[in-house]
Amino acid sequence: MGWSEYSSARLSLLTEHLMSRPRLTALIRSLPAFVPFVGPEAQERARNRPFRARMGANESVFGPSPNAIAAMEAAVSENWQYADPESYDLRDALAQFHNVSMDNIVIGEGIDGLLGLMVKLVVEPGDAVVTSDGAYPTFNFHVAGGAGRLARVPYSDDREDLDGLLEAAKREDARLLYVANPDNPMGTFWPASDVMQLIDRLPDGVLLCLDEAYCDTAPTGELLPIDVLHPQVLRFRTFSKAYGLAGARIGYCLGEAWLVAHFEKIRNHYGINRVGQVGALAALADQEYLAAAVAKIVRARDKIAEIAVANGLTPIPSAANFVTIDCGRDDTFARRVMEELIARDVFVRMPSVAPLNRCIRVSCGRGEDLAIFAAELPEALIAARK
Amino acid sequence: MGWSEYSSARLSLLTEHLMSRPRLTALIRSLPAFVPFVGPEAQERARNRPFRARMGANESVFGPSPNAIAAMEAAVSENWQYADPESYDLRDALAQFHNVSMDNIVIGEGIDGLLGLMVKLVVEPGDAVVTSDGAYPTFNFHVAGGAGRLARVPYSDDREDLDGLLEAAKREDARLLYVANPDNPMGTFWPASDVMQLIDRLPDGVLLCLDEAYCDTAPTGELLPIDVLHPQVLRFRTFSKAYGLAGARIGYCLGEAWLVAHFEKIRNHYGINRVGQVGALAALADQEYLAAAVAKIVRARDKIAEIAVANGLTPIPSAANFVTIDCGRDDTFARRVMEELIARDVFVRMPSVAPLNRCIRVSCGRGEDLAIFAAELPEALIAARK
């Protein structure tokens, strides 16, 4: 049968079949068509012009270790092979790095992929899940996809309110409590002692999801030590931020072996790409480079804060690889500042929820990125104030 | 607080907390700790020796287009950036290639990742899902993870039994029907007219999942034409097989735009790695290379069949990038043949279910791989017969 004959046969079937679409599940029908983050590429297509400074996605423009680049280049020619689905070498290296067992570690397609699986482990339809109002929207996306019921706790002084979160977890009989430390989108940080207090007061049956995507840029020595004994805590880390490998999509989860083992029941065992996995392994091994990259990030953070102050704005002290800047008015004004920066080819983002959305969020950049930001911010502010 | 103080504090908490592990969902508790495929790397670690011929995972040792390799090498240095979460360029190219709209295409972390999402779209707990008994275990894994109830239809003459599958879908009031064409693990193929008949007879409300991972090596002109009008058919394709990019983890699903749009509600928008996405785009553009690679695969297929016949075994005619070989006895014998090949450093696999498991499955290889297989098979058979 040729294409045209086939095609016309199908067209006649179309009418017949329009009413017999497959039935979607009740959950899928109930979900909004919500995408957590529109990418800068979509904006570039809409603007029909590339950004000059990519400072909106909390990537690290400083990139990964040269050793990671070399390892990935070498791995390209082996990309006809699936990656090891057990991620043995990477888990082995991470286990040594964190002084835990390989059984305490599961690798995923970025932290995002692992968040979805974690929700599936503990959340039954209608179960309560607690997070901060305005925190990581992709977590909320996965909770919605898992039919969880979100309870949101306001930030307090631009920090995640640990007491409030704990209280909500108790009140709602939550299965899951999300805390990002350092926080995104505000960049604020709780030192070990505060997080430890939270953990020690966790009610039975709640799982703490501690998202530490930004931990590598947090104050040295103030980060909660690794602990894989506590059965109610899972910690999430990534090669996407300070390690400079956002495109590689390699995140991992650390936790008690019993709980971690359950990811095996549902994860996409062949979901990890080979080049990214090789790159992460090499990046982990080069802690000297990481330290240098973090130093650059810290300098860029200071510079962004300086630029903000020079423009009469208030930078929020950040432990992450970005600085969130209080624009001093409401969300309408902050959105205009963001839009004026975007119009000037500077890609930045902003928090989505009041009162956080009085701010814009600026990822760390190189000297040239910061120079563009410094040059364009005054103009953007003038335009936004009009 | 130092590490030792911290550590001892935690140890005392451990006892207290051992009984307060988070409650897993009923589904997670019910799932077996089942992994669809143990990777060759795990076998190599257990054997403490690498394979000499990697002919078990249906990868393509011929690799991707040199253009894809060059594109991936160039993309490595941009791997600090997330990939475009809309996969615009790749979807655009695929849309042109298949003469459909971008809205008919969703990209995933290999077909595996998309299968899980598809199950989530249409399967409520307890809903029936029909597949062939012994077909792709990763599909079954995702159905179990989606709380579906699997109904299995035996193969008929080593082919998926389209009439039997349709009948079972009706009888079970199935939400989902899985057909792989060409089939894995048997390599058999149904030409367009048969698949079309199946589609035309689909009962209302069932979604046909047509897994075409191996379509690029199927007989030219006998493959079902692309049709994104029928609301009850989703087709799955990949860059992992003939395109030679298994490590890249790029698969896609083609279907009616309304249905495809629902993947947006649940997919991991930032799950696709940058280097793999760039590689897939370049591989797609080089159809000349693909044709040459397919020709090599076809020659290797013939050669594997020859080797089987020369050893008194019966190759099953294959439309895929592997040949399944009937070892002429039961599963115990086939398993011994496989194990003896593995002991001789030849990685092969075998089907898991009777009567398919009287066979071993051998992926296409280069001349040197085939030479090793040809040399070791007689020895493996002698040892297996002992």
Side-chain angles (χ1 to χ4, degrees):
Chain A
M1 186 188 279
W3 169 257
S4 68
E5 189 188 345
Y6 169 81
S7 190
S8 90
R10 298 242 75 77
L11 274 168
S12 71
L13 274 169
L14 175 64
T15 343
E16 183 183 331
H17 279 283
L18 260 179
M19 288 180 300
S20 64
R21 278 175 170 159
R23 186 198 64 189
L24 302 174
T25 66
L27 173 65
I28 295 294
R29 277 179 277 136
S30 76
L31 289 175
F34 166 76
V35 172
F37 288 108
V38 174
E41 294 80 8
Q43 295 188 43
E44 289 178 328
R45 287 188 291 270
R47 297 156 15 101
N48 201 21
R49 200 166 73 237
F51 285 113
R52 285 186 295 144
R54 185 168 162 126
M55 305 174 78
N58 297 347
E59 301 151 329
S60 177
V61 66
F62 305 111
S65 157
N67 299 346
I69 293 194
M72 290 189 288
E73 281 172 352
V76 157
S77 64
E78 294 174 351
N79 220 8
W80 62 272
Q81 301 174 48
Y82 290 104
D84 173 15
E86 298 179 12
S87 302
Y88 187 96
D89 294 341
L90 181 56
R91 284 165 58 232
D92 187 37
L94 285 167
Q96 290 179 42
F97 182 73
H98 289 300
N99 198 23
V100 300
S101 154
M102 285 178 67
D103 298 339
N104 298 117
I105 301 171
V106 55
I107 310 290
E109 303 94 339
I111 289 178
D112 286 2
L114 293 165
L115 291 178
L117 296 173
M118 175 192 56
V119 167
K120 190 160 174 173
L121 288 186
V122 298
V123 175
E124 302 270 12
D127 277 350
V129 175
V130 171
T131 187
S132 299
D133 194 18
Y136 195 44
T138 305
F139 176 73
N140 301 358
F141 176 83
H142 285 301
V143 171
R149 176 173 56 81
L150 269 175
R152 295 178 173 85
V153 175
Y155 279 64
S156 168
D157 282 335
D158 298 325
R159 297 172 113 179
E160 297 197 15
D161 177 1
L162 299 186
D163 289 338
L165 288 163
L166 192 67
E167 206 173 293
K170 284 177 187 164
R171 186 180 63 239
E172 304 283 344
D173 187 25
R175 295 294 116 202
L176 195 52
L177 166 58
Y178 178 85
V179 171
N181 194 46
D183 169 73
N184 176 24
M186 302 311 278
T188 47
F189 176 69
W190 288 108
S193 53
D194 295 279
V195 183
M196 228 179 278
Q197 266 190 38
L198 171 75
I199 292 174
D200 290 347
R201 290 156 65 206
L202 283 175
D204 274 8
V206 66
L207 177 63
L208 173 65
C209 165
L210 194 52
D211 182 343
E212 299 182 316
Y214 298 98
C215 67
D216 302 299
T217 47
T220 316
E222 293 190 33
L223 203 67
L224 183 72
I226 292 294
D227 166 22
V228 289
L229 298 177
H230 199 300
Q232 289 177 259
V233 182
L234 288 178
R235 298 171 72 167
F236 294 81
R237 302 207 167 184
T238 185
F239 289 91
S240 300
K241 303 303 175 187
Y243 280 100
L245 280 171
R249 309 318 300 125
I250 307 287
Y252 61 102
C253 169
L254 287 157
E256 194 208 7
W258 175 86
L259 187 54
V260 164
H262 284 83
F263 282 86
E264 298 301 305
K265 293 182 168 184
I266 49 170
R267 74 183 181 94
N268 183 7
H269 289 263
Y270 285 81
I272 305 296
N273 76 97
R274 188 177 186 95
V275 174
Q277 185 150 284
V278 164
L281 183 63
L284 180 70
D286 193 350
Q287 290 295 312
E288 202 178 326
Y289 177 87
L290 180 70
V294 168
K296 287 181 195 172
I297 290 168
V298 169
R299 279 197 296 275
R301 226 159 55 186
D302 292 345
K303 183 71 189 164
I304 292 169
E306 257 177 49
I307 296 167
V309 169
N311 283 273
L313 309 180
T314 309
I316 293 168
S318 170
N321 72 347
F322 58 84
V323 179
T324 297
I325 299 173
D326 184 342
C327 294
R329 298 201 204 168
D330 62 359
D331 61 315
T332 308
F333 181 66
R335 176 158 294 106
R336 279 163 65 184
V337 174
M338 176 182 77
E339 284 166 357
E340 293 294 342
L341 282 167
I342 289 172
R344 286 162 178 79
D345 303 336
V346 182
F347 168 50
V348 297
R349 284 198 172 122
M350 65 179 285
S352 57
V353 169
L356 317 182
N357 59 10
R358 70 191 192 282
C359 302
I360 60 168
R361 197 194 66 180
V362 183
S363 308
C364 289
R366 298 159 300 184
E368 53 261 51
D369 304 309
L370 298 172
I372 293 169
F373 178 63
E376 299 300 342
L377 181 59
E379 303 298 319
L381 285 169
I382 289 168
R385 281 180 186 127
K386 266 184 191 151
Chain B
M1 187 187 279
W3 169 258
S4 67
E5 188 188 346
Y6 169 80
S7 190
S8 90
R10 299 240 76 76
L11 274 168
S12 71
L13 273 169
L14 175 65
T15 344
E16 183 184 330
H17 278 285
L18 262 179
M19 286 179 302
S20 64
R21 278 175 168 159
R23 187 197 65 191
L24 302 173
T25 68
L27 173 65
I28 295 294
R29 277 179 276 136
S30 76
L31 290 175
F34 166 76
V35 172
F37 289 108
V38 174
E41 293 80 8
Q43 295 189 42
E44 290 178 327
R45 286 188 292 270
R47 297 156 14 99
N48 201 20
R49 200 166 72 236
F51 285 114
R52 286 186 295 145
R54 186 170 162 126
M55 306 174 78
N58 297 346
E59 300 152 331
S60 178
V61 66
F62 305 111
S65 157
N67 299 346
I69 293 196
M72 290 189 288
E73 281 172 352
V76 157
S77 63
E78 294 174 351
N79 220 8
W80 63 271
Q81 301 175 48
Y82 291 104
D84 173 16
E86 298 180 12
S87 302
Y88 188 96
D89 294 342
L90 181 56
R91 283 166 59 232
D92 187 38
L94 285 167
Q96 290 180 42
F97 182 73
H98 289 300
N99 198 24
V100 300
S101 154
M102 284 178 66
D103 297 339
N104 298 117
I105 301 170
V106 57
I107 311 290
E109 302 94 342
I111 289 177
D112 286 1
L114 293 164
L115 291 178
L117 297 173
M118 174 191 59
V119 167
K120 190 161 175 174
L121 287 185
V122 297
V123 175
E124 302 269 13
D127 276 351
V129 176
V130 171
T131 187
S132 299
D133 193 18
Y136 195 43
T138 305
F139 175 73
N140 301 358
F141 175 83
H142 285 302
V143 170
R149 176 173 54 82
L150 268 175
R152 294 176 172 87
V153 175
Y155 279 64
S156 168
D157 283 335
D158 298 324
R159 296 172 112 179
E160 297 196 16
D161 177 1
L162 299 186
D163 289 339
L165 288 164
L166 192 67
E167 207 171 294
K170 285 178 186 161
R171 187 180 61 238
E172 304 283 343
D173 188 25
R175 294 295 116 201
L176 194 52
L177 167 58
Y178 177 87
V179 171
N181 194 47
D183 169 72
N184 177 24
M186 302 311 278
T188 48
F189 177 69
W190 287 109
S193 53
D194 295 279
V195 183
M196 229 178 279
Q197 266 190 37
L198 171 74
I199 291 174
D200 290 348
R201 291 156 65 208
L202 282 176
D204 275 9
V206 67
L207 177 63
L208 174 64
C209 165
L210 195 51
D211 181 344
E212 299 182 316
Y214 297 98
C215 69
D216 301 301
T217 48
T220 316
E222 293 189 33
L223 202 68
L224 183 74
I226 292 293
D227 166 22
V228 290
L229 297 178
H230 199 300
Q232 290 177 259
V233 182
L234 289 179
R235 298 171 72 168
F236 294 82
R237 302 210 168 180
T238 184
F239 289 91
S240 300
K241 303 303 175 187
Y243 281 99
L245 280 171
R249 309 319 300 127
I250 306 288
Y252 60 101
C253 169
L254 288 157
E256 194 208 7
W258 176 85
L259 188 54
V260 164
H262 283 83
F263 281 88
E264 298 302 305
K265 293 183 170 185
I266 50 171
R267 76 182 180 95
N268 183 7
H269 289 263
Y270 284 82
I272 305 296
N273 75 97
R274 187 176 187 96
V275 173
Q277 185 150 285
V278 164
L281 184 63
L284 180 71
D286 193 351
Q287 289 295 313
E288 203 178 323
Y289 177 87
L290 180 71
V294 168
K296 286 181 196 172
I297 290 167
V298 170
R299 280 198 296 276
R301 225 158 57 185
D302 293 345
K303 183 70 190 169
I304 292 169
E306 257 178 49
I307 295 167
V309 169
N311 284 272
L313 309 179
T314 310
I316 294 167
S318 170
N321 71 347
F322 58 85
V323 180
T324 298
I325 299 173
D326 185 342
C327 294
R329 298 201 204 169
D330 61 1
D331 61 317
T332 308
F333 180 67
R335 177 158 293 105
R336 279 163 63 184
V337 175
M338 176 183 76
E339 284 167 357
E340 293 294 342
L341 282 168
I342 288 173
R344 287 163 178 77
D345 303 336
V346 182
F347 169 50
V348 298
R349 283 198 173 121
M350 64 178 286
S352 58
V353 169
L356 318 182
N357 59 10
R358 71 191 192 282
C359 303
I360 59 168
R361 196 193 68 180
V362 183
S363 307
C364 289
R366 298 159 301 183
E368 54 262 51
D369 304 309
L370 299 172
I372 293 169
F373 177 63
E376 300 300 343
L377 181 60
E379 303 297 319
L381 285 168
I382 290 168
R385 282 181 187 126
K386 267 184 191 152

